[in-house]
Amino acid sequence: MNQQVIVAGGGIGGLASALALARQGVPTVLLEQAAAFGEVGAGLQLGPNATRVLADWGLSDALEACAAFPEVLRVRDAHRGTDLGQLRLGAMALARYGQPYATLHRADLHALLRHAVQQQGLTEWRLNSRLASFAETPDGVSATLDDGSLLTGEALLGCDGLWSRVRSQLLGAQGVRASGHLAYRGMVRAGDLPLALRATVVTAWLGPRMHVVHYPVRGGEWFNVVAVVHGVLGQGHGGEPGSDPQGWSHEARATDLQRAIGPACADLLAMIEAVPGWTLWALNDRPAMAGAHEHAQGRVALLGDAAHPLRPYLAQGAAMAMEDAWTLGRVVEFAQKKGDWPHLLAVLAQTRWQRNAQVQQHSQRNGRIFHATGLVRWGRDTAMRLRGERLLDNPWLYNGPPEPERPPVPSPRARRAA
């Protein structure tokens, strides 16, 4: 049996897991189904809980080289343009949490992690490789790939996303849950925006059955724009009904987005009109985690979206995958018996599942609040004006990730007896 851990999936969760293990001297083989690592996705936000993970891995300087660090989160009414509330970030995030709030392109975070993994030198890369099935043995795991080749290792980490094959075999076939929401995603150069929209802030526009978020990435040279509306593909939003079973992206028309948003203030329309092209994604997820068994069983664990896919309303998808990986590294670091993978993964699962479930639940709740109508919308706006930062801040989240429990230190008498 090879003394390595198999990591299925070469996204942010897979790279973070390989890095966390490599830092503890554990070799991995990383399976990526694509032929090459490419620039995929759009922007993402990293709260202090996520930048704390990168800092612990010695990657703060690398983050600073590619990210933007917004000064404030500003919430505005999408139709009237009025301010609803704000949360100070920048220096205030550093003062409160000891780590910054960052915004960056997903591809830049991916490249940052990939470079860090390569520097460790303990990961074997396998492109054009996708896990087809696995079998657990008394002393390890064997994995069969789509091309029929066989890999063996001491454990298997499923970091293969929402449509995870590892999850399907571990927990049984379970259909994903359609949210009824669609995400329009685009990027625009800061120089192509009106001057008033180039500020280094995260702006969230809230309206009935929709919201839009935009923020700087790549050191402020670009802005990422995401608009989430209610609907399904093929009903006024492009695509064909049923043509997109896995939520893959389509090119989209700005006119469809503007129709879905409805009346919008001048600043929001200016941002939307400046974006040169849009992709459209159907948002899917799963119910919140119900127990540690959904994170790990035996020598097989699920991390990131494979375990706990998130709706984007708390901006924590990448952060939770990184927290999972960081926790795994700490569990291995603290372990008294390094190779006992069933025990190590059980500790990971017990440490992580409740926090991940809480984040899933808060994300779903935020979606309802963001898109509220009628009296609920009025109550949200009133509460935000009165309580602003206290409603928008999340100390329970940004003070993380929680440390796994350390095993007790044996007494001198017990050590002598051993």
Side-chain angles (χ1 to χ4, degrees):
M1 183 61 61
N2 289 335
Q3 304 299 305
Q4 65 186 7
V5 171
I6 302 168
V7 180
I12 289 171
L15 289 172
S17 297
L19 176 59
L21 291 178
R23 287 172 55 84
Q24 301 304 320
V26 178
T28 58
V29 54
L30 188 145
L31 309 177
E32 168 54 45
Q33 64 179 323
F37 289 116
E39 190 167 298
V40 296
L44 51 79
Q45 302 178 60
L46 295 181
N49 55 312
T51 56
R52 185 172 293 113
V53 168
L54 293 176
D56 189 63
W57 288 341
L59 299 175
S60 293
D61 289 346
L63 177 67
E64 187 171 352
C66 66
F69 298 90
E71 293 298 323
V72 67
L73 164 62
R74 185 183 181 192
V75 183
R76 300 179 66 181
D77 185 289
H79 292 178
R80 297 187 294 271
T82 52
D83 285 328
L84 299 178
Q86 71 171 27
L87 172 66
R88 289 169 293 170
L89 302 173
M92 184 58 70
L94 278 170
R96 285 175 176 163
Y97 301 112
Q99 295 295 335
Y101 194 106
T103 54
L104 69 164
H105 197 287
R106 181 176 294 272
D108 292 338
L109 177 60
H110 191 273
L112 179 159
L113 292 170
R114 188 168 75 247
H115 179 68
V117 172
Q118 289 168 336
Q119 286 188 314
Q120 291 291 326
L122 285 175
T123 297
E124 175 188 349
W125 307 84
R126 294 213 179 185
L127 299 175
N128 277 321
S129 299
R130 190 179 187 190
L131 181 142
S133 63
F134 66 86
E136 188 171 348
T137 65
D139 61 349
V141 177
S142 63
T144 303
L145 308 188
D146 276 352
D147 64 4
S149 60
L150 190 68
L151 280 175
T152 59
E154 292 191 326
L156 168 64
L157 304 181
C159 304
D160 46 347
L162 176 65
W163 306 91
S164 168
R165 291 185 175 183
V166 179
R167 180 191 179 101
S168 293
Q169 185 171 337
L170 187 69
L171 301 180
Q174 303 166 328
V176 301
R177 182 174 63 179
S179 68
H181 296 177
L182 301 172
Y184 289 78
R185 305 181 192 272
M187 298 274 291
V188 58
R189 287 185 182 274
D192 294 335
L193 291 171
L195 190 61
L197 295 176
R198 300 180 197 174
T200 308
V201 303
V202 179
T203 304
W205 303 87
L206 306 187
R209 297 168 59 84
M210 55 75 63
H211 80 282
V212 180
V213 178
H214 53 77
Y215 49 81
V217 298
R218 295 191 161 160
E221 294 182 2
W222 289 78
F223 273 73
N224 181 69
V225 188
V226 182
V228 180
V229 301
H230 289 208
V232 295
L233 290 174
Q235 295 186 1
H237 296 281
E240 296 297 329
S243 68
D244 193 30
Q246 294 196 4
W248 294 319
S249 64
H250 299 270
E251 290 187 5
R253 299 183 296 266
T255 52
D256 291 335
L257 172 56
Q258 290 172 346
R259 187 182 307 113
I261 287 176
C265 70
D267 280 352
L268 178 53
L269 283 176
M271 176 62 76
I272 291 172
E273 290 169 356
V275 175
W278 296 92
T279 55
L280 179 61
W281 300 71
L283 298 180
N284 303 301
D285 70 353
R286 298 183 185 276
M289 300 188 80
H293 68 284
E294 294 185 4
H295 239 319
Q297 297 180 28
R299 293 177 176 268
V300 181
L302 304 172
L303 287 81
D305 282 352
H308 43 78
L310 289 161
R311 298 186 186 184
Y313 311 128
L314 198 57
Q316 285 289 313
M320 288 301 105
M322 290 163 56
E323 281 196 13
D324 284 349
W326 179 86
T327 304
L328 177 61
R330 298 293 268 185
V331 168
V332 173
E333 178 184 356
F334 298 161
Q336 294 174 337
K337 186 177 180 182
K338 298 295 185 183
D340 187 359
W341 285 103
H343 172 72
L344 298 178
L345 297 182
V347 174
L348 167 72
Q350 288 293 344
T351 303
R352 292 296 305 164
W353 83 266
Q354 289 176 308
R355 178 170 171 85
N356 286 322
Q358 184 180 14
V359 173
Q360 287 177 295
Q361 291 161 354
H362 275 258
S363 298
Q364 295 167 24
R365 173 178 171 271
N366 275 7
R368 295 191 293 270
I369 293 172
F370 288 1
H371 294 193
T373 61
L375 286 176
V376 176
R377 180 187 180 200
W378 177 86
R380 175 202 69 197
D381 293 354
T382 301
M384 199 169 295
R385 290 190 187 99
L386 294 174
R387 301 185 62 213
E389 289 207 337
R390 285 179 290 174
L391 287 181
L392 294 170
D393 202 5
N394 293 291
W396 65 271
L397 178 61
Y398 296 148
N399 278 315
E403 285 271 13
E405 192 171 324
R406 295 175 183 248
V409 177
S411 66
R413 179 179 297 178
R415 287 198 296 268
R416 287 195 297 270

